[in-house]
Amino acid sequence: MPYLTEELFSELKPFTGEKADFLLQARPSQIPPHLCRPEAMVDMECIMSMVSSLRTLRSQLNISPAVKIKIHVSGDPAQQKLLFAYAPYVHNLAKVESIENTTNRPAQSAVTMANGLIFYVPLAGVIDVEAERLRLSKELDKITEDLNLCRNQLSNPAFIQRAPESEVLKIKKREEEFKTKQAGFSETLQSLS
């Protein structure tokens, strides 16, 4: 994407002190020390984790990306401060309408956690809670069935002896994925109760 790269280069020239007209003519870039902030990387990793957690919850509950959600948050004060400092990113990337502090869990809310924070997402008016419980229950049954299938294969000594090691490792990996999904769906289903 040379045009995009050149555009970025030309926009950043005032900050880098670069004199070359084009990127291909420029020396390898050096980031000025006053622009280096390693703590910003840590902050962004935390924000990305929070956004990912909220997106996963939205996905599990089949909440349309077009629907903006409200979130209530409790937990680590330092992480809350970070969340509110970067709130515009969270609003945009997780499709959040508002973020509020809370000490109590709102009624009919789903729960997710990230970086020492507990996020409560009130579902009233966002989804049909009964229909979602039924859907999640069916999904959980299917995941449990798949998990049991993996466990049966792995507990069969004949399979372990005859199957190639790569196949056994693949099934162990699937078993772990199903365990993780089962835990996530169980937690989400419980939060809807």
Side-chain angles (χ1 to χ4, degrees):
M1 298 172 36
Y3 297 109
L4 180 59
T5 308
E6 280 296 336
E7 184 67 27
L8 288 171
F9 171 75
S10 67
E11 292 295 322
L12 292 174
K13 280 187 352 184
F15 301 105
T16 61
E18 183 59 54
K19 304 291 185 225
D21 291 330
F22 299 103
L23 179 60
L24 288 174
Q25 298 170 335
R27 59 182 165 71
S29 61
Q30 300 292 321
I31 299 174
H34 71 280
L35 294 178
C36 293
R37 286 191 42 227
E39 66 276 4
M41 290 291 288
V42 173
D43 290 351
M44 274 297 120
E45 298 242 344
C46 291
I47 295 299
M48 287 167 42
S49 173
M50 293 174 196
V51 167
S52 177
S53 182
L54 289 167
R55 284 179 165 182
T56 300
L57 183 68
R58 289 179 71 104
S59 173
Q60 286 177 346
L61 294 173
N62 277 347
I63 299 174
S64 167
V67 175
K68 292 199 176 234
I69 58 174
K70 295 178 182 180
I71 59 174
H72 299 261
V73 64
S74 67
D76 182 9
Q79 289 296 317
Q80 283 189 33
K81 184 177 177 184
L82 177 70
L83 173 67
F84 284 104
Y86 289 98
Y89 293 109
V90 177
H91 283 273
N92 190 28
L93 296 171
K95 304 294 185 206
V96 171
E97 183 180 323
S98 65
I99 304 171
E100 297 176 25
N101 282 326
T102 189
T103 53
N104 298 322
R105 179 180 177 177
Q108 287 193 328
S109 61
V111 179
T112 189
M113 292 186 248
N115 297 15
L117 293 180
I118 302 170
F119 296 98
Y120 302 106
V121 180
L123 299 173
V126 177
I127 62 170
D128 180 355
V129 176
E130 283 304 316
E132 195 57 30
R133 273 193 209 139
L134 183 61
R135 186 192 71 77
L136 284 173
S137 185
K138 286 180 182 177
E139 189 75 28
L140 186 60
D141 290 343
K142 175 147 179 25
I143 290 169
T144 303
E145 186 179 308
D146 291 340
L147 179 61
N148 288 336
L149 183 64
C150 288
R151 287 179 175 161
N152 288 342
Q153 284 182 309
L154 292 172
S155 65
N156 182 351
F159 173 76
I160 299 293
Q161 290 174 352
R162 293 186 183 144
E165 190 172 333
S166 62
E167 186 67 24
V168 173
L169 290 174
K170 186 169 89 174
I171 292 179
K172 284 182 180 179
K173 184 178 177 187
R174 286 183 61 212
E175 178 188 28
E176 288 304 314
E177 288 172 3
F178 287 133
K179 276 185 195 176
T180 304
K181 280 184 179 180
Q182 184 183 44
F185 275 84
S186 293
E187 184 178 314
T188 304
L189 188 59
Q190 187 177 16
S191 71
L192 292 178
S193 300

